[in-house]
């Protein structure tokens, strides 16, 4: 599986040596070729056939075919921990970084899979136990390629506040 950064701006080049699991030849191998060897985010979700060709020092060649699976390099969402009811929940998308910076739009979905934010790092104030669950972030690159990541957020219920009764007058 080759993981592709989903901004849509990068082309991934797969080196033939990454697929060659031990080709040998009595005369020595001079060259390894892979076709196709370039992939981009439009290939995400595809199973593509790739042909590995090795050429020895005498010009003889042999080929084999394999399947390359293309998957998106997703975000790695995180959240602040140790949450109690009444706290603020801070969510962080942590998208893959492209050489050009962060080039994504964001969609955050809460525990009921309802869209609640389009910010990269949203904050939910005054949470309670109903806010516990999975939070999913979908990132979309400039060319429409998408990837997603999920984080589970746990919220502790606060104990009931005790009522203290004391006499008004103390001797």
């Amino acid at each position: 599986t080759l993981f592709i950064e989903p901004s849509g701006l990068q082309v991934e080049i797969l080196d033939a040596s990454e697929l060659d699991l031990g080709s040998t030849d009595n005369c020595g191998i001079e060259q390894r070729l892979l076709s196709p060897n370039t992939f981009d985010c439009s290939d995400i979700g595809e199973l593509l056939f790739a042909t590995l060709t090795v050429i020895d020092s005498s010009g003889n060649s042999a080929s084999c075919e394999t399947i390359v699976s293309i998957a998106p390099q997703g975000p790695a969402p995180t959240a602040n921990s140790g949450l109690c009811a009444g706290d603020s929940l801070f969510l962080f998308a942590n998208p893959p970084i492209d050489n050009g910076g962060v080039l994504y739009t964001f969609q955050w979905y809460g525990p009921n899979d309802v869209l609640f934010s389009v910010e990269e790092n949203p904050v939910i104030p005054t949470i309670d136990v109903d806010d516990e669950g999975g939070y999913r972030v979908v990132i979309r690159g400039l060319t429409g390629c998408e990837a997603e990541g999920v984080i589970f957020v746990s919220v502790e219920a606060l104990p009931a506040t005790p009522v203290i009764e004391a006499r008004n007058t103390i001797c």
Side-chain angles (χ1 to χ4, degrees):
T1 300
L2 178 63
F3 291 93
I4 302 284
E5 189 271 313
S7 73
L9 299 179
Q10 288 188 352
V11 173
E12 298 291 330
I13 299 172
L14 186 59
D15 190 83
S17 63
E18 293 181 65
L19 291 181
D20 188 348
L21 299 177
S23 299
T24 60
D25 187 272
N26 292 338
C27 298
I29 294 177
E30 294 292 317
Q31 195 173 16
R32 289 175 174 81
L33 305 169
L34 183 64
S35 178
N37 71 336
T38 58
F39 306 91
D40 61 31
C41 78
S42 66
D43 297 315
I44 289 174
E46 299 291 328
L47 293 174
L48 304 171
F49 287 97
T51 303
L52 173 66
T53 304
V54 293
I55 303 170
D56 70 10
S57 58
S58 298
N60 299 315
S61 66
S63 298
C64 66
E65 194 171 67
T66 189
I67 296 173
V68 178
S69 171
I70 310 297
Q73 180 183 358
T78 57
N80 54 324
S81 61
L83 296 168
C84 293
D87 288 342
S88 291
L89 171 59
F90 293 85
L91 296 164
F92 305 95
N94 301 318
I97 302 283
D98 184 315
N99 291 336
V102 177
L103 306 168
Y104 303 104
T105 60
F106 300 87
Q107 293 178 322
W108 280 93
Y109 297 86
N112 297 319
D113 209 32
V114 175
L115 176 68
F116 70 89
S117 180
V118 293
E119 294 179 29
E120 180 178 356
N121 301 317
V123 177
I124 303 172
T126 319
I127 60 169
D128 61 29
V129 292
D130 293 335
D131 295 307
E132 182 172 271
Y135 286 81
R136 181 170 58 100
V137 61
V138 177
I139 60 173
R140 181 185 296 247
L142 295 174
T143 58
C145 294
E146 291 184 344
E148 67 179 58
V150 177
I151 184 165
F152 184 83
V153 172
S154 178
V155 179
E156 294 293 325
L158 288 176
T161 306
V163 176
I164 300 175
E165 293 184 21
R167 295 185 345 210
N168 291 339
T169 308
I170 300 176
C171 300

